[in-house]
Amino acid sequence: MEQADLVIVGGGAAGLMAACAAARILKKPGAVLVLEGNQKLGRKLLATGNGRCNLTNLAASPAHYHGDVSAAEPLLAAYTPDAVRGVFRDLGLVTKPDGEGRVYPRSGQAAAVLAALRGCAEAYGVSCRIGAPVTGIRKTKRGFLLSGAEGDTVEAAACILACGGAASPKHSCGDGYALAKSLGHTVTQLYPALTQLICAGKTAKSIAGVRCAARAALLADGKEIHAESGDVQFTDTGLSGICIFGLSIYAAEYFARGSIGGRAYKGLSVALDCLPEWSFSEVSAYLLEMRTAYPERMAGDLLAGVLNLRVGYALVQAAGIDPAQAAKFVAPGQLQKLAALVKAWRFTITGTKGFQDAQITAGGVPLREVDGWTMRSRKVENLYIAGEMLNVHGDCGGYNLHFAWATGLAAGSAAAEAIRRKGEKR
């Protein structure tokens, strides 16, 4: 039987940060053991930000989180974006924010973030074992006994569960929820978030792969719930893109619970404003100008000067206009309808993509079951829970990784201090 002072289940963002924080306090080779079920550490970390790793956001605050937010406020206040950037600078990683506050490694490589964490872990004697899924855990007099798939066991004085969520199963298996439950914790309803929206009809499919800058608004029973601006990507099943991911947080809640923020609704739609910088009157005037100046031009090209050609063509069709006819035959009423669609192109939302395509998991272990400062379990002595396993999820833009770093730092530091104090008493 192998023994360690602290076992961390999960070698992702929260787990590796916890390992670094703990090892720097304990300063004892082999005291910290990381068990990772995948064949590589930080697999999901390497995939974030399209391989660039959007590791935090200068605007990280409770306003950008969902779930048990009030319970997470002290933690977020303690671990600010500047504090997190400072931790990485101490690891040798220089970071750089973009114009919208998203923070990336200066090199633009997610691999550099993983290398910094691994370098720190190795320097302080952390043992990392890959391909070592934990299938069971139970409390013992000394601490915890963890069992693996091959019958191997590890005994530890303290344990941090940082197993990740159910989203993106190729990167994270979600087994941590079962481990937490076996120790007496509860888990709220889980559902995928930061994912694509599925739309009724074939309009989006007809222009699949095309991108369009737009203001996207999520409407519940016709009332705007949330809106974001950015690139919208049309897919064979609906809508995607960073701003759509922002809307998906609320849409996913609706499809999981039938409500948003505790209020029930009958249905959802997305309205795209494809020319947000123009008013309806300006769009109408432009269309009339194009019809008058180029009467023989195909109606399908009426928007060719301001929008992606395929998007403009699809809008003309959606307005009930024959795109092949000459522009001079488009009636004024049809131009008005087209202008209205440009400003509010409606798509009925029928669902979201599942965990397979989601970036994060909504739901998890309630924060009332852990100490808000240390992530220490209120149910099991010397147990800590960090990262995506907790019932807090953030908006798109580095907020979820920020929460992973914050909880990992808190859990790793607290667990190590508890172990150190216990050793001093002996």
Side-chain angles (χ1 to χ4, degrees):
M1 179 189 299
E2 188 173 0
Q3 293 186 331
D5 290 329
L6 172 63
V7 167
I8 300 172
V9 185
L16 288 174
M17 183 60 84
C20 290
R24 294 176 84 166
I25 292 171
L26 294 174
K27 294 182 174 64
K28 176 184 171 184
V32 179
L33 172 63
V34 175
L35 299 176
E36 169 56 51
N38 283 314
Q39 294 300 321
K40 289 183 179 180
L41 293 171
R43 284 189 65 183
K44 190 173 183 179
L45 183 62
L46 290 174
T48 58
N50 293 320
R52 295 171 60 208
C53 193
N54 179 191
L55 54 87
T56 185
N57 194 299
L58 298 181
S61 68
H64 289 282
Y65 291 90
H66 311 268
D68 298 331
V69 180
S70 59
E73 287 181 3
L75 181 80
L76 293 171
Y79 294 96
T80 64
D82 284 344
V84 168
R85 294 181 70 189
V87 169
F88 276 106
R89 186 63 185 87
D90 288 343
L91 300 182
L93 185 80
V94 177
T95 58
K96 181 180 180 181
D98 66 9
E100 296 182 2
R102 293 183 291 254
V103 179
Y104 296 90
R106 178 64 180 79
S107 66
Q109 294 178 294
V113 180
L114 180 58
L117 292 166
R118 292 190 66 169
C120 176
E122 291 170 1
Y124 284 91
V126 175
S127 298
C128 295
R129 187 169 307 146
I130 58 174
V134 174
T135 56
I137 182 172
R138 65 181 178 86
K139 194 74 176 68
T140 66
K141 290 183 178 180
R142 183 178 183 272
F144 299 89
L145 184 65
L146 298 91
S147 54
E150 303 299 324
D152 47 318
T153 58
V154 178
E155 189 177 41
C159 177
I160 298 175
L161 295 180
C163 313
S168 188
K170 63 183 179 181
H171 299 123
S172 175
C173 60
D175 289 345
Y177 301 116
L179 297 177
K181 284 182 177 180
S182 72
L183 292 170
H185 278 280
T186 60
V187 176
T188 68
Q189 181 182 10
L190 305 175
Y191 54 92
L194 296 188
T195 188
Q196 298 177 21
L197 298 180
I198 300 172
C199 300
K202 299 180 179 180
T203 302
K205 185 175 183 177
S206 70
I207 49 176
V210 175
R211 294 177 182 270
C212 173
R215 179 185 185 270
L218 181 71
L219 310 178
D221 296 348
K223 177 184 177 182
E224 184 172 307
I225 297 296
H226 184 71
E228 294 195 13
S229 297
D231 270 358
V232 173
Q233 181 178 4
F234 299 92
T235 74
D236 57 355
T237 57
L239 303 173
S240 186
I242 291 178
C243 63
I244 295 298
F245 282 4
L247 305 188
S248 77
I249 286 181
Y250 302 90
E253 181 183 353
Y254 169 79
F255 288 109
R257 301 176 177 173
S259 62
I260 300 175
R263 180 174 177 178
Y265 294 98
K266 294 179 181 178
L268 299 184
S269 62
V270 166
L272 299 181
D273 183 348
C274 298
L275 284 173
E277 68 275 24
W278 284 13
S279 67
F280 170 78
S281 296
E282 288 173 321
V283 177
S284 295
Y286 173 80
L287 290 172
L288 181 59
E289 176 190 342
M290 290 300 100
R291 189 191 67 167
T292 303
Y294 304 99
E296 301 301 327
R297 180 178 292 182
M298 286 199 316
D301 291 333
L302 279 168
L303 292 164
V306 289
L307 294 177
N308 175 281
L309 296 180
R310 290 179 62 190
V311 170
Y313 194 92
L315 277 162
V316 168
Q317 285 186 309
I321 300 169
D322 179 1
Q325 71 178 1
K328 64 184 179 182
F329 295 121
V330 180
Q334 289 178 304
L335 287 181
Q336 292 292 297
K337 184 176 181 180
L338 178 57
L341 275 176
V342 170
K343 294 299 292 178
W345 194 7
R346 292 281 191 99
F347 294 82
T348 299
I349 307 303
T350 59
T352 69
K353 285 294 188 78
F355 284 117
Q356 187 73 34
D357 300 288
Q359 290 188 7
I360 62 165
T361 305
V365 176
L367 260 70
R368 66 176 181 272
E369 297 183 5
V370 301
D371 178 82
W373 289 101
T374 64
M375 302 297 104
R376 175 179 53 80
S377 168
R378 297 184 187 275
K379 291 178 174 287
V380 185
E381 186 181 6
N382 297 321
L383 176 69
Y384 302 78
I385 304 176
E388 197 173 339
M389 286 185 61
L390 294 165
N391 184 32
V392 173
H393 58 286
D395 293 337
C396 192
Y399 300 104
N400 290 287
L401 269 181
H402 181 90
F403 187 71
W405 308 133
T407 54
L409 285 163
S413 300
E417 289 291 358
I419 292 169
R420 186 177 59 79
R421 287 195 300 270
K422 186 175 181 180
E424 291 175 352
K425 292 180 181 179
R426 291 175 181 173

